[in-house]
Amino acid sequence: MTLAHTIGLGAVAGFTIFLGLPVARLRQRTTRLQSLLTALALGVLLFLVWDILSKALEPIQSALKTGARSGHWGSFAVLVTMLVLGLIVGLVGLVIFDVTAMRGRTAERLPGQLALMIATGLGLHNFSEGLAIGQAAAQGAIAFAAILVAGFGLHNVTEGFAVAAPFAMTDDKPSWPYLGMLGLIGGGPTFAGTLVGYHVTSLPAFVLFLALAAGALIYIVGEMFAAGRRLRAPVWAASGIAAGFLIAYGTDLILTLGGV
């Protein structure tokens, strides 16, 4: 597959995040609907944390078994280091960023700030997805790369909804330029990762970006839980979390069908 074709695949997979963003401009929402929308996004994020960590742990477990058989532990040590480093930097780094951004402001976080944090965490995740697309294309696995684009593209639609969800808790509609910026932060790294993956195959980098994304999303999940509890609609929230998780899992089944 040529570089031009690969760039097109990365652009398609990253662009779909914009399809979920217009939800942020919905108006006339009841408290129950606000709780449901927030919980749906939280369910998607919970699935992503589980999915990301599963994908990051697979090569580490494989390296562990290889090291036990051969006695060579270098690959295992490198991958574990990337996992630990990524989790710490992703989680603590986002906390430091959040504390710095909130300094001198009110105790309540603005929806735009939370949406920006979600987009940043998802951008790290989508960079690793782009790496997978680029590596598959570079190896000539055209059908496999196409399946990756379809699966990741559907995933990114739900991720766009997750980015938009904080605005469900307010009557203030974000501007289209601001939503566009959030889309670029969240979906643009898919395109960038595709370019890098086409030229460079690096399992440690793949694990590192997955761990960075997991660390960031763990913190964001906690913030979303806190925001959801303020809406005081527990039944709607529980239903939304379950539905969001299952919807995200459903899009992931396409990748499983393709043998990913």
Side-chain angles (χ1 to χ4, degrees), residues 84-223:
V84 173
L85 181 63
L87 283 173
I88 293 175
V89 173
L91 178 56
V92 179
L94 192 56
V95 171
I96 293 174
F97 169 80
D98 189 32
V99 170
T100 302
M102 290 292 293
R103 187 172 298 161
R105 300 185 182 181
T106 60
E108 187 174 351
R109 183 176 291 100
L110 297 175
Q113 294 172 326
L114 184 55
L116 179 59
M117 291 164 58
I118 294 174
T120 301
L122 293 177
L124 293 170
H125 169 228
N126 288 334
F127 185 85
S128 66
E129 290 184 348
L131 289 176
I133 295 172
Q135 290 171 11
Q139 294 168 7
I142 300 176
F144 182 57
I147 292 173
L148 287 177
V149 170
F152 292 152
L154 286 174
H155 255 319
N156 285 353
V157 174
T158 61
E159 290 173 3
F161 175 75
V163 173
F167 296 104
M169 296 176 284
T170 178
D171 291 328
D172 295 330
K173 294 193 300 183
S175 66
W176 287 113
Y178 189 73
L179 286 178
M181 181 193 71
L182 294 176
L184 289 176
I185 293 173
T190 308
F191 176 77
T194 301
L195 292 178
V196 174
Y198 188 82
H199 293 97
V200 180
T201 301
S202 175
L203 187 56
F206 183 69
V207 172
L208 174 63
F209 276 93
L210 284 174
L212 283 168
L217 291 180
I218 287 171
Y219 178 66
I220 292 167
V221 163
E223 295 299 307

Side-chain angles (χ1 to χ4, degrees), residues 20-21 23-25 29 33-42 45 111 114-115 118 158-170 179 182 224 227 231:
L21 291 176
V23 175
R25 291 180 60 86
R29 295 176 291 264
L33 181 58
Q34 289 176 340
S35 180
L36 179 63
L37 292 174
T38 302
L40 278 169
L42 182 54
L45 294 177
L114 184 55
I118 294 174
T158 61
E159 290 173 3
F161 175 75
V163 173
F167 296 104
M169 296 176 284
T170 178
L179 286 178
L182 294 176
M224 290 290 286
L231 295 173

